[in-house]
């Protein structure tokens, strides 16, 4: 018999990670089933804490793949067709948008990997394959040969590149394998080399934006972007680098990416507060006590730590797995919403863009996605999306 919400909340507060995981998995299925009813056809991005209701964001927004991504993971883990049915149409929606006025950019990996590509992997759907390859072509077309980077955003940001793109490289690696064409692999490796050289600092902290001269490729400056400043340390940027470089190692087996991911991981873990859930920027202020957390940085980093654990022999991988479990325990206990049936999101206390005063202490669909992805990996799920 299913536990009621109060019993479940109590159980989640008391046990070790190993003890709570079965109850959490049970709760997650109930939660996602409820979210399906609540979210309907919306493209969720942000839910404010007072209502817990997800918004309905435009379909070419960078976050539009995460809700269907949750559904595809649930389908893969359970085999239940209602998850597949709810996820099915999303890559078609993107394709329709791609032939209209749109703002697709460097983040097509975040959109097409958890929709078109995973759909093709799990069902063999040829339209999903076609759309995934079209997105990879689009991303490859954003490569700047002088600076060896994938350019960020659109409009006038011609020479800008951002650390977030580390996570989009899996789309290029997938395409290279899928059609046996090394061009995609070469572009992904070249961009990853730029991340290692210009974004990941010697101490393992990470820049958000690097501005290059788009004609000569020379570095002009580093910019703070969504972090507190050019020398600060935006925690979600670190999570993107950690997870992205670990993925790049999985595809290439080149140790320089493994070591880059480890460097970021060691820094990230050293900066965590007592509950293992990061503040939005590790260098936001001398004291971080009053600074908001970013649960999305925590869940994304936890998933990346599990990639590191899998990449290494057990004796070396164990500390990364245990660190991922500590982050998951902190997220589950202190930020998971298990006893408010009307609340549409899984985690509270994400921070979208603090310098722009935008989306602070809210639920974020990508925080929810990486939480589900990490739980799935800890349950033994093998079909990687990123
Ligand atoms: N990719 C944008 C962000 O992390 O907010």
């Amino acid at each position: 018999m299913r536990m009621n919400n109060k019993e479940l909340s109590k159980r989640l507060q008391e046990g070790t990670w190993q003890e709570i995981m079965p109850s959490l998995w049970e709760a997650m299925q109930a939660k996602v089933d409820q979210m399906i009813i609540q979210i309907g056809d919306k493209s969720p991005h942000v839910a404010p804490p007072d209502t817990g209701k997800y918004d309905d964001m435009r379909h070419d927004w960078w976050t539009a793949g995460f809700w269907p991504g949750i559904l595809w993971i649930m389908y893969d883990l359970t085999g239940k067709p209602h998850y597949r049915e709810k996820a099915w149409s999303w890559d078609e929606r993107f394709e329709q948008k791609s032939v209209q006025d749109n703002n697709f950019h460097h983040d097509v990996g975040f959109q097409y990997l958890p929709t078109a590509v995973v759909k093709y992997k799990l069902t063999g759907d040829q339209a999903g394959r076609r759309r995934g390859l079209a997105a990879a072509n689009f991303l490859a077309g954003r490569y700047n040969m002088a600076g060896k980077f994938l350019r960020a955003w659109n409009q006038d940001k011609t020479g800008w590149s951002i650390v977030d793109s580390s996570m989009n490289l899996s789309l290029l690696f997938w395409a290279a394998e899928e059609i046996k064409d090394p061009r995609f692999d070469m572009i992904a490796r070249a961009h990853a080399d730029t991340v290692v050289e210009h974004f990941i600092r010697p101490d393992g902290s990470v820049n958000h934006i690097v501005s290059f001269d788009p004609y000569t490729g020379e570095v002009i400056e580093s910019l703070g972007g969504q972090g507190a400043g050019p020398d600060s340390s935006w925690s979600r940027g670190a999570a993107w680098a950690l997870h992205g470089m670990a993925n790049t190692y999985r595809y290439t087996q080149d140790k320089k990416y493994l070591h880059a991911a480890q460097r970021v991981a060691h820094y990230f873990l050293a900066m965590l507060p007592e509950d293992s859930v990061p503040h939005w920027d590790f260098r936001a202020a001398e004291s971080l006590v009053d600074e908001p957390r970013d649960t999305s940085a925590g869940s994304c980093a936890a998933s990346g730590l599990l990639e590191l654990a899998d990449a290494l022999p057990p004796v070396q991988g164990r500390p990364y797995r245990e660190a991922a479990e500590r982050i998951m325990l902190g997220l589950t206990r202190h930020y998971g919403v298990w006893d408010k049936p009307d609340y549409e999101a899984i985690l509270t206390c994400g921070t979208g863009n603090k310098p722009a005063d935008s989306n602070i202490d809210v639920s974020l669909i990508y925080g929810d996605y990486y939480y589900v992805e990490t739980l799935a990996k800890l349950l033994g799920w093998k079909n990687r999306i990123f």
Side-chain angles (χ1 to χ4, degrees):
M1 206 171 69
R2 212 161 233 185
M3 271 181 285
N4 68 39
N5 289 332
K6 288 237 171 323
E7 282 166 355
L8 174 72
S9 286
K10 191 158 173 285
R11 169 82 59 91
L12 297 179
Q13 294 310 315
E14 284 168 357
T16 63
W17 173 255
Q18 299 304 332
E19 285 163 353
I20 70 169
M21 210 167 37
S23 311
L24 180 59
W25 173 230
E26 196 186 319
M28 187 57 73
Q29 293 172 75
K31 178 85 190 170
V32 177
D33 285 353
Q34 186 64 26
M35 287 168 81
I36 288 175
I37 298 165
Q38 292 163 330
I39 288 174
D41 269 346
K42 288 193 287 189
S43 178
H45 170 220
V46 170
D50 51 342
T51 66
K53 301 264 177 269
Y54 264 124
D55 58 354
D56 183 11
M57 199 39 151
R58 48 188 289 176
H59 288 180
D60 56 357
W61 194 245
W62 74 278
T63 56
F66 291 113
W67 168 236
I70 290 175
L71 297 169
W72 281 117
I73 291 176
M74 296 303 286
Y75 170 63
D76 199 19
L77 282 174
T78 66
K80 291 185 179 164
H82 68 288
Y83 296 121
R84 184 187 59 209
E85 278 154 28
K86 280 290 162 192
W88 191 268
S89 66
W90 278 92
D91 52 320
E92 192 181 342
R93 297 192 207 184
F94 293 162
E95 186 173 57
Q96 283 166 6
K97 192 75 190 151
S98 74
V99 292
Q100 299 164 3
D101 276 345
N102 66 65
N103 196 28
F104 286 113
H105 49 51
H106 61 272
D107 275 339
V108 285
F110 280 128
Q111 292 156 316
Y112 282 79
L113 284 164
T115 55
V117 174
V118 71
K119 180 199 231 181
Y120 165 60
K121 282 192 192 178
L122 298 185
T123 71
D125 181 66
Q126 291 301 309
R129 179 180 188 271
R130 184 187 76 238
R131 291 168 189 144
L133 291 172
N137 271 309
F138 173 85
L139 185 58
R142 300 179 64 87
Y143 182 66
N144 180 305
M145 286 172 67
K148 301 188 171 57
F149 63 86
L150 292 165
R151 71 157 285 186
W153 296 302
N154 294 324
Q155 295 83 38
D156 58 350
K157 311 281 192 308
T158 327
W160 282 21
S161 193
I162 59 175
V163 74
D164 321 30
S165 289
S166 309
M167 288 299 286
N168 290 302
L169 300 180
S170 295
L171 181 65
L172 299 174
F173 287 125
W174 167 77
E177 283 182 359
E178 187 59 31
I179 59 169
K180 314 257 176 311
D181 185 336
R183 286 176 305 140
F184 296 106
D185 180 89
M186 289 166 185
I187 290 173
R189 283 175 194 249
H191 179 86
D193 288 347
T194 299
V195 171
V196 174
E197 191 179 343
H198 294 299
F199 287 81
I200 302 176
R201 304 181 185 120
D203 67 356
S205 66
V206 162
N207 289 330
H208 184 196
I209 301 174
V210 178
S211 167
F212 297 87
D213 180 317
Y215 295 97
T216 65
E218 275 168 52
V219 173
I220 299 172
E221 59 182 338
S222 295
L223 300 160
Q226 284 165 248
D231 300 320
S232 79
S233 176
W234 179 44
S235 59
R236 193 164 61 255
W240 294 143
L242 193 177
H243 197 330
M245 288 301 105
N247 299 340
T248 301
Y249 176 64
R250 191 179 75 237
Y251 276 106
T252 62
Q253 295 299 301
D254 185 332
K255 288 261 170 31
K256 91 179 128 195
Y257 307 122
L258 173 68
H259 295 151
Q262 286 180 293
R263 189 146 45 97
V264 180
H266 299 165
Y267 171 85
F268 192 97
L269 294 175
M271 293 295 136
L272 290 179
E274 205 172 335
D275 67 5
S276 294
V277 175
H279 293 89
W280 72 282
D281 188 311
F282 295 123
R283 295 180 189 155
E286 212 169 297
S287 164
L288 294 177
V289 173
D290 295 325
E291 296 295 326
R293 302 301 178 98
D294 180 12
T295 50
S296 75
S299 62
C300 176
S303 186
L305 288 164
L306 292 179
E307 289 303 320
L308 278 180
D310 278 2
L312 291 160
V315 70
Q316 292 176 42
R318 180 189 50 76
Y320 299 112
R321 176 171 300 275
E322 288 176 356
E325 291 176 354
R326 281 197 301 278
I327 295 172
M328 285 297 277
L329 195 61
L331 290 170
T332 305
R333 285 223 170 119
H334 305 297
Y335 304 93
V337 186
W338 311 112
D339 57 2
K340 290 188 198 158
D342 292 338
Y343 202 95
E344 295 181 6
I346 300 170
L347 296 177
T348 59
C349 295
T351 296
N353 190 345
K354 173 99 173 10
D357 204 15
S358 165
N359 300 327
I360 301 164
D361 266 333
V362 293
S363 295
L364 296 165
I365 193 64
Y366 40 99
D368 287 357
Y369 170 81
Y370 286 104
Y371 182 81
V372 173
E373 183 181 272
T374 309
L375 177 62
K377 288 179 184 177
L378 287 166
L379 289 164
W381 176 69
K382 292 284 175 236
N383 273 319
R384 298 297 191 252
I385 291 179
F386 286 95

